[in-house]
Amino acid sequence: IWNFHAVASILQTEKFFDLAGSGTFIILTHLSYRWNGTNYLRQRIQAALVTAWGLRLGLFLFLRMLKEGKDRRFNHVRHNPKSFFVYWTFQGIWIFITLLPTLILNTQEKDTPLCARDLTGWVIWILGFVLEAVADHQKWKFKSNVKNTHKFIQKGLWAFCRHPNYLGEMLQWTGLFLSASTIMTGIEYISIVSPVFVWFLLTHVSGIPMLEKHAMKKWGQDPAYLEYVRHTPALWPFRF
């Protein structure tokens, strides 16, 4: 990660920040069980799911970056090497914590038969993957239409909650933890911090709070947007 930071700092660009992050997820996932010399079915499936997530999201974010030209998260840091270093360092921490259940799974020498918990975890992952991919595609298509310039999306999945892509992201890492937990014992269960960390990061730090603040600044005087906010949940579309 710091090697990527060095290049990005010299070029003063964040264009490959997300691509480097998702690529690191994929590399660490495959190396972790190859180094251990095991090749169990559960490990292969877990690695395939992380790879699918990384390729889709990484390429999507990279293409979006090329299209938009910049990421407003870095507006005040891309020209400040120290602040830029903090962002790249935090990305490394994010990768390790989020990938922890997979790393624990892939470094296990023992194996157990697949069970209902595995299948439940993979179903949750698939649901999250489809949800995030469809939400991203819908928003990309909406913003690509010049008729929607200065408008906010409230169609498709975005009619049910304001951040369906983030809900999909949380479901994917929850599903991966659930499956990996089938072989865990004792202190290894601390890796539940992975989905909890993703939830906290997206709901309290860099995800929803930043987007909501930007949206309110842009459409805060628009009665239609205020109505959308009042009647559309931020994340979970169902009320119990």
Side-chain angles (χ1 to χ4, degrees), residues 40-216:
Y40 301 130
L41 178 59
R42 183 182 287 107
Q43 293 173 331
R44 294 199 301 271
I45 293 175
Q46 188 92 349
L49 298 184
V50 173
T51 301
W53 167 86
L55 288 175
R56 190 212 69 83
L57 186 60
L59 289 174
F60 169 77
L61 294 176
F62 182 64
L63 292 174
R64 188 181 69 178
M65 170 65 66
L66 294 180
K67 179 182 178 182
E68 297 181 355
K70 63 179 182 179
D71 187 333
R72 61 176 174 267
R73 292 177 299 174
F74 298 88
N75 284 347
H76 303 292
V77 301
R78 68 172 64 88
H79 301 302
N80 185 325
K82 291 183 179 180
S83 298
F84 212 18
F85 177 78
V86 171
Y87 271 64
W88 281 90
T89 299
F90 185 78
Q91 184 181 68
I93 296 172
W94 163 64
I95 292 170
F96 175 75
I97 295 177
T98 305
L99 200 56
L100 189 56
T102 300
L103 295 176
I104 291 175
L105 168 64
N106 286 347
T107 54
Q108 294 285 341
E109 295 186 357
K110 65 179 183 296
D111 190 26
T112 59
L114 299 183
C115 62
R117 196 192 308 181
D118 290 294
L119 299 179
T120 301
W122 294 333
V123 168
I124 292 174
W125 183 91
I126 292 171
L127 176 61
F129 183 85
V130 172
L131 184 61
E132 185 175 38
V134 171
D136 283 341
H137 175 72
Q138 289 177 341
K139 192 170 186 178
W140 176 283
K141 188 176 180 180
F142 178 85
K143 294 180 71 174
S144 297
N145 189 336
V146 294
K147 295 181 180 179
N148 295 323
T149 304
H150 306 307
K151 294 182 180 179
F152 62 93
I153 185 171
Q154 52 180 326
K155 298 178 180 180
L157 294 175
W158 302 83
F160 298 97
C161 66
R162 303 199 299 276
H163 304 280
N165 53 334
Y166 288 157
L167 177 59
E169 181 76 2
M170 296 175 197
L171 289 175
Q172 286 174 87
W173 293 108
T174 299
L176 290 175
F177 164 76
L178 194 61
S179 175
S181 69
T182 56
I183 52 82
M184 293 180 188
T185 58
I187 193 65
E188 293 171 341
Y189 282 106
I190 198 173
S191 63
I192 195 175
V193 70
S194 167
V196 173
F197 178 72
V198 171
W199 167 82
F200 179 79
L201 188 65
L202 293 179
T203 58
H204 290 82
V205 185
S206 67
I208 292 176
M210 291 180 65
L211 290 180
E212 293 280 290
K213 182 179 179 180
H214 176 74
M216 189 58 67

